[in-house]
Amino acid sequence: MSGNGTTAGDDPLQTAVWRLRSRACWADAAALLRPDTAPAALQRAGLLVERCLYTERGWAEAEDALRTAEAVAQSDEERGAAACERGQLAYAATLHGVRDRADEARAALGRAAALIPPGAPGRALLDFRRGLLAENLARSPQAARAAYRRAHASAAAHADPLLLSFTWRHLAGLALRDGEVAEARHGFAESLRIREELGYLVGTAPALASLAETESEPEASRLREEARRLFRLLGGVPTWLAQHLTPPTPDTATA
């Protein structure tokens, strides 16, 4: 899911949902939504799918919410959005080693691509998620870069700053892998800037840790310490960040 929930035109419900989501309170945010319409059901499913990715918990609740969203979807775009969420849930389960659902993830995102027309707002998120599959499951950085670039351009065209923070970060990660440190630093800094401006607290620690990978000391240590502070504040979320924030032991620190 995307959208920042902080623009002046947002209603109080969406503002409340955004504030809870950004502070890693996905279940509380989902509880505010009544899934009796397709948009609400899709948003609720998206929140619970995101919780799975960040916490490695709540899989059954996400599946239930997703089935509801699939049942109430009416238009092709709504069915495509539901398929996009199913693909993301299958991707998260595979990534975290819960169960290998890579084939399901690819099939669901392919179905979403057939239903969501080019140029539609939902296409940016779909392209980004196809990039995640290419990078982390298919191990194809070239395909991932192409998908991220499409998502980046579409997110910019549709004024979706939160998604831009993700595309900046993942394009920067690929640049760092290729040894393009200056390009990576710029992308990570843009991702961090956007997340801080939006108040996306749960995504700020990963952004700080990523930027630290491109900085020299003492700035790198300062960024990692700030990331650790936020990580502890949110109760160890996202779970996968822990391995990147472990302080070096005395032996490895001097190696």
Side-chain angles (χ1 to χ4, degrees):
M1 62 184 303
S2 191
N4 61 59
T6 61
T7 59
D10 283 339
D11 62 38
L13 173 61
Q14 288 301 318
T15 298
V17 168
W18 165 253
R19 287 175 176 168
L20 288 166
R21 175 194 177 192
S22 65
R23 288 159 176 76
C25 300
W26 294 280
D28 291 338
L32 297 178
L33 299 167
R34 295 181 58 186
D36 48 7
T37 65
L42 283 166
Q43 186 179 12
R44 184 172 180 275
L47 287 165
L48 295 176
V49 168
E50 188 172 81
R51 179 177 67 164
C52 292
L53 183 62
Y54 277 73
T55 69
E56 302 179 54
R57 296 187 292 106
W59 303 98
E61 293 91 338
E63 288 281 2
D64 287 345
L66 192 47
R67 281 192 287 270
T68 298
E70 290 167 338
V72 300
Q74 305 259 330
S75 67
D76 280 351
E77 282 196 52
E78 289 169 350
R79 285 188 284 270
C84 188
E85 292 301 337
R86 179 158 294 286
Q88 181 72 352
L89 184 61
Y91 162 78
T94 306
L95 187 72
H96 288 310
V98 177
R99 184 157 57 92
D100 186 351
R101 297 172 61 179
D103 288 344
E104 180 187 351
R106 280 188 285 269
L109 295 186
R111 187 163 64 252
L115 290 166
I116 302 174
R123 193 77 183 198
L125 183 61
L126 171 60
D127 282 334
F128 173 69
R129 288 175 171 176
R130 296 179 92 178
L132 292 177
L133 253 68
E135 180 180 5
N136 298 315
L137 300 189
R139 307 298 178 189
S140 176
Q142 288 185 333
R145 184 178 288 106
Y148 292 149
R149 284 176 174 166
R150 289 194 303 271
H152 191 82
S154 184
H158 290 99
D160 188 341
L162 182 60
L163 184 55
L164 275 174
S165 81
F166 282 93
T167 54
W168 272 122
R169 182 167 179 266
H170 283 267
L171 285 167
L174 293 177
L176 185 61
R177 177 185 296 183
D178 291 342
E180 301 292 339
V181 179
E183 181 182 342
R185 183 183 299 114
H186 174 70
F188 288 141
E190 283 297 297
S191 178
L192 176 61
R193 176 187 63 78
I194 293 170
R195 291 179 180 195
E196 288 180 334
E197 287 178 356
L198 295 177
Y200 188 54
L201 195 62
V202 73
T204 301
L208 287 163
S210 293
L211 183 58
E213 295 298 316
T214 67
E215 296 286 358
S216 55
E217 296 296 347
E219 181 65 7
S221 290
R222 185 193 70 79
L223 290 167
R224 288 193 185 94
E225 183 53 39
E226 179 63 11
R228 277 192 286 270
R229 186 187 70 80
L230 288 174
F231 181 70
R232 291 191 296 266
L233 180 67
L234 294 175
V237 176
T239 54
W240 45 262
L241 188 60
Q243 61 184 315
H244 301 288
L245 295 178
T246 303
T249 64
D251 289 341
T252 59
T254 57

